[in-house]
Amino acid sequence: MYYDMHSHLLPEMDDGSDSVELSLKLIDKLRAQGVKRLCFTPHFYTNEESIKSFLKRREESVKKLLPHLPEDIEFCIGAEVYVTRYLFNNKDLSGICYGDSKFILCEFPFDSHFSDHTMDYFYRLSGNYGLTPVLTHIERYHHLMEDEGLVEDLLDEGIIIQSNVGAFRGFSQKRRLLKYVKRGYIDILGTDCHSLTRGAPEEYTPTIELINEKCGREFVDHIVETSEEIFTPVKR
C-alpha cells in the first residue's frame, strides 16, 4: 500500500480543494492507484496566522470531509509549515506535526541557499522541540538541485526529504531526481495535489513504476518504509 505524504485535499482550507466533492474525486483517483494512506497537509503560513487559528480551521475542514471518506482510506493530519522566525514564538508545535509523530513538514523560500541562517531553523526544530524536520518538494529548491553537498548536509542532520511525484515528468529534472533516489536522497513521496490538474493524482503510479524500473525495488521499499514510520492514522 502506498502513501501520499503531502497533499492539499482538505476542502476549503487553502489553495487546494475548494469543496468536499472535489476532495472526494481526488481521493478516488488516488485509491484507484492503491494510494490509500493519505496525509492532509494544508499550508500553514507562520507569518500570517497563529497555530490556534490554523488548527481550528483545519478541524472544521476535517469534520466536513470525514463523514464522506471511504472506509478503506486511512488518513493522517499535518501541515505544510512555512518556516519563519514567528514559528519559534510557540512553545508547542505538536499540533502541526504529522499526526502524533515528531515529524514536521517544512517549507522554505524556493531561492533559499540553505545557509547557516536556514540551518539554524532546522537545529531549533530538532534541538529545542525534539522534532525531525521533513523538507518538502526538494525539486523546487534550485540550490539543492545543483549542490549535492547541501543535500548531504541536510541528511547528516537527520532531515527527511520529500519529492513530488509530478516532478519526475520533465526530462532533465527526472534524470536529476532519479539520481537523487539512487543516492538515497529521496525518503518519501507526495502528490502535492491541489486540484484535478495541479499535482494531478494520476501521476503517482507512473512515478513509482519509474523508480522501480530505473533505480530498483529497494528504493521503492525505502520510500514506503519511511512513510510508514511517519504516518500515524486518525482513529475514526
Side-chain angles (χ1 to χ4, degrees):
M1 187 178 295
Y2 295 120
Y3 297 76
D4 185 350
M5 301 300 292
H6 176 183
S7 76
H8 298 272
L9 298 171
L10 284 181
E12 303 173 15
M13 185 66 198
D14 56 11
D15 60 343
S17 172
D18 59 7
S19 67
V20 170
E21 291 74 20
L22 177 56
S23 297
L24 294 174
K25 287 181 182 179
L26 296 169
I27 290 168
D28 280 343
K29 290 180 179 295
L30 287 165
R31 287 175 73 217
Q33 299 175 85
V35 186
K36 297 183 180 180
R37 293 177 178 171
L38 311 177
C39 292
F40 299 147
T41 54
H43 287 290
F44 172 42
Y45 294 104
T46 58
N47 55 328
E48 297 179 2
E49 186 177 16
S50 69
I51 289 181
K52 181 179 180 181
S53 171
F54 172 79
L55 294 180
K56 181 180 179 181
R57 290 195 305 111
R58 191 182 67 181
E59 181 181 3
E60 292 170 353
S61 180
V62 171
K63 285 181 178 179
K64 292 178 183 178
L65 181 61
L66 184 56
H68 308 283
L69 274 179
E71 287 297 324
D72 60 345
I73 289 292
E74 291 186 281
F75 67 98
C76 174
I77 304 173
E80 182 180 4
V81 181
Y82 188 73
V83 180
T84 69
R85 67 181 187 274
Y86 300 104
L87 176 64
F88 302 101
N89 293 332
N90 298 279
K91 292 183 179 180
D92 182 12
L93 302 182
S94 60
I96 52 175
C97 292
Y98 281 105
D100 296 326
S101 78
K102 294 290 186 179
F103 296 90
I104 183 168
L105 185 64
C106 300
E107 181 182 28
F108 294 88
F110 296 156
D111 61 354
S112 175
H113 287 71
F114 291 87
S115 62
D116 290 344
H117 176 72
T118 304
M119 293 303 293
D120 182 61
Y121 284 161
F122 286 125
Y123 299 146
R124 292 167 74 177
L125 286 169
S126 58
N128 297 352
Y129 294 89
L131 303 179
T132 298
V134 178
L135 180 64
T136 190
H137 39 55
I138 184 176
E139 61 276 354
R140 295 190 183 176
Y141 302 103
H142 172 75
H143 292 284
L144 292 181
M145 296 304 290
E146 296 296 326
D147 187 345
E148 292 185 37
L150 284 176
V151 181
E152 291 177 356
D153 287 344
L154 296 177
L155 294 172
D156 287 344
E157 295 300 327
I159 293 164
I160 303 295
I161 294 179
Q162 181 255 321
S163 180
N164 289 349
V165 293
F168 286 77
R169 287 181 303 176
F171 180 73
S172 60
Q173 192 170 59
K174 175 176 71 176
R175 291 183 63 186
R176 178 59 60 87
L177 285 172
L178 288 172
K179 178 182 178 182
Y180 275 23
V181 169
K182 288 181 180 179
R183 297 202 171 179
Y185 295 169
I186 308 296
D187 297 301
I188 59 174
L189 295 174
T191 59
D192 196 7
C193 183
H194 285 68
S195 68
L196 292 168
T197 55
R198 183 180 172 193
E202 294 92 343
E203 294 167 348
Y204 197 102
T205 295
T207 298
I208 287 290
E209 292 174 347
L210 179 69
I211 292 172
N212 186 46
E213 176 189 354
K214 299 295 186 181
C215 304
R217 184 67 201 185
E218 64 269 29
F219 294 99
V220 175
D221 291 343
H222 169 71
I223 288 167
V224 172
E225 289 164 6
T226 308
S227 300
E228 185 175 6
E229 180 184 0
I230 296 170
F231 190 88
T232 54
V234 172
K235 294 181 180 179
R236 302 199 199 190

